[in-house]
């Protein structure tokens, strides 16, 4: 995950070093694990991977900003929404590191479960979902596209839903997560996370943030409400509604500031992108190799876009 | 199966109505640039099987990078079926 940029891109490196320092001993361990060759980091190990996902997203945003590229709107998926909030100035990096530590601690004892991406609409998946808000319910965890829906839930229920979907010919694939993020199983973790949020200073965003919790722009009131940010752990990621609302407001050059190109692929299916009104630029390659080359080429492309 | 059939199926899989601009030549545009990840391509293959009775193995689908290569694979597979 973006290892090639470390030590070569000054701002990216400085931001990550600062983040690792704020994390203390845990930060040093995370850094070693991230830089180990061959890679030693398992993406589905949430306690390590989630803080790193946050930090890389945030550091890439800062890095691009320092190239003179102005961020005019922010939209983040799952933990990425917190990176968006940090880039918008809602909280600082020192507090962000504390939040990441608390988030990992809060989710550590959530029962085993996972996430399952299905090529189907929410309506088509309705018969497979559990009613109500039981802690082990299988629910919609993310609306990633009109026909790309991620289910989240505890085991063994998630596996039984997966088997039924396969029997009925619905293409589906596991997402790298060992826990049911964005499902009711996270409710207690979200409450604990909210207590951590309540101890830090929250400020209104300096750049508009389109929330994947609500599918709309974050208001000043929401931005300073600890519950608003913390409860996203237990509620679905409204990625597509948020993207759709953002692209209805005006056209953008969409820049993906995280590992891989998953969000770029989703955005390319949006009609504003397909019809050439918006361009999509991922900063990193689909896999680890070639990160520095892809990043530098992407920055050049942004500099040449008015 | 023609390129027009594939264009329609791809649009159905994206679920975005007017998704593919008919003026855009998609045959040699990569699935990555069109926004089709492996899950979307699995659905594309499932719909091709339903409609045309041609089944493509999952590991073959993973090697296809453009609509043209997908069409060629479907033709190849249908010849073998006959």
């Amino acid at each position: 995950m973006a290892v090639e940029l470390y030590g070569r891109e000054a701002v990216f490196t400085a931001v990550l070093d600062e983040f690792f320092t704020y994390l203390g001993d845990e930060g040093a361990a995370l850094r070693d694990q991230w830089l180990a060759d061959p890679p030693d980091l398992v993406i589905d190990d949430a306690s390590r991977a989630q803080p790193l996902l946050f930090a890389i997203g945030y550091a890439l945003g800062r890095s691009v900003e320092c190239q003179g590229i102005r961020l005019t709107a922010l939209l983040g998926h799952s933990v990425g929404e917190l990176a968006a909030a940090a880039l918008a100035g809602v909280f600082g990096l020192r507090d962000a590191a504390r939040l990441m530590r608390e988030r990992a601690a809060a989710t550590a004892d959530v029962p085993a479960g996972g996430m399952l991406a299905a090529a189907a609409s929410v309506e088509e998946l309705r018969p497979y979902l559990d009613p109500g808000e039981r802690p082990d319910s299988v629910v919609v965890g993310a609306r990633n596209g009109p026909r790309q829906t991620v289910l989240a839930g505890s085991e063994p229920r998630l596996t039984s839903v997966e088997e039924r979907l396969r029997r009925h010919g619905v293409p589906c694939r596991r997402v790298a997560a060992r826990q049911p993020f964005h499902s009711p199983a996270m409710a207690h973790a979200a409450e604990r996370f909210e207590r951590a949020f309540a101890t830090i200073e929250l400020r209104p965003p300096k750049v508009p943030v389109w929330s994947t919790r609500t599918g709309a722009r974050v208001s000043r009131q929401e931005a300073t409400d600890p519950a608003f940010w913390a409860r996203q752990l237990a509620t679905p990621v409204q990625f597509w509604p948020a993207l759709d609302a953002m692209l209805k407001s005006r056209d953008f050059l969409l820049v993906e500031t995280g590992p891989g190109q998953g969000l770029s692929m989703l955005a390319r299916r949006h009609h504003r992108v397909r019809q050439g009104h918006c361009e999509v630029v991922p900063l990193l390659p689909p896999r680890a190799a070639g990160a520095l080359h892809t990043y530098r080429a992407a920055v050049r492309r942004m500099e040449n876009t008015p | 199966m023609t390129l027009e059939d594939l264009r329609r199926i791809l649009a159905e899989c994206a679920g975005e109505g007017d998704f593919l601009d008919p003026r855009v030549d998609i045959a040699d545009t990569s699935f990555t640039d069109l926004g089709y990840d492996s899950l979307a391509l699995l659905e594309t293959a499932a719909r091709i099987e339903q409609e045309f009775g041609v089944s493509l193995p999952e590991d073959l689908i993973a090697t296809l990078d453009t609509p043209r290569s997908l069409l060629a694979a479907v033709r190849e597979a249908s010849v073998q079926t006959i």
Side-chain angles (χ1 to χ4, degrees), chain B:
Chain B
M1 191 175 87
T2 66
L3 183 61
E4 282 316 300
D5 294 323
L6 180 56
R7 180 191 284 276
R8 172 179 50 78
I9 289 171
L10 285 170
E12 287 166 4
C13 291
E16 265 278 275
D18 57 349
F19 176 59
L20 288 169
D21 185 338
R23 290 162 300 181
V24 176
D25 173 29
I26 61 158
D28 295 307
T29 307
S30 74
F31 284 124
T32 309
D33 285 338
L34 290 169
Y36 286 80
D37 55 20
S38 58
L39 186 62
L41 286 177
L42 279 186
E43 191 190 8
T44 306
R47 284 178 187 244
I48 291 172
E49 182 167 1
Q50 259 171 22
E51 238 182 88
F52 297 91
V54 180
S55 163
L56 299 175
E58 203 174 320
D59 48 358
L60 172 68
I61 298 165
T63 66
L64 306 171
D65 50 6
T66 60
R68 189 184 299 282
S69 66
L70 176 56
L71 273 179
V74 170
R75 289 200 185 110
E76 177 91 353
S78 55
V79 169
Q80 283 167 4
T81 315
I82 297 162

Side-chain angles (χ1 to χ4, degrees), chain A residues 76 81 210-216 225-233 235-239 242:
Chain A
E81 176 151 286
W210 293 85
S211 171
T212 50
R213 169 128 191 247
T214 60
D225 174 10
F228 178 76
W229 301 109
R231 299 274 173 92
Q232 56 131 276
L233 257 183
T235 55
V237 181
Q238 307 286 359
F239 175 76

Side-chain angles (χ1 to χ4, degrees), chain A residues 147 173 268-269 271 274, chain B residues 16 19 35 38 43 58:
Chain A
R147 300 195 54 76
R173 186 159 276 181
R268 282 177 181 139
R269 284 178 232 170
H271 62 271
R274 195 61 201 102
Chain B
E16 265 278 275
F19 176 59
S38 58
E43 191 190 8
E58 203 174 320

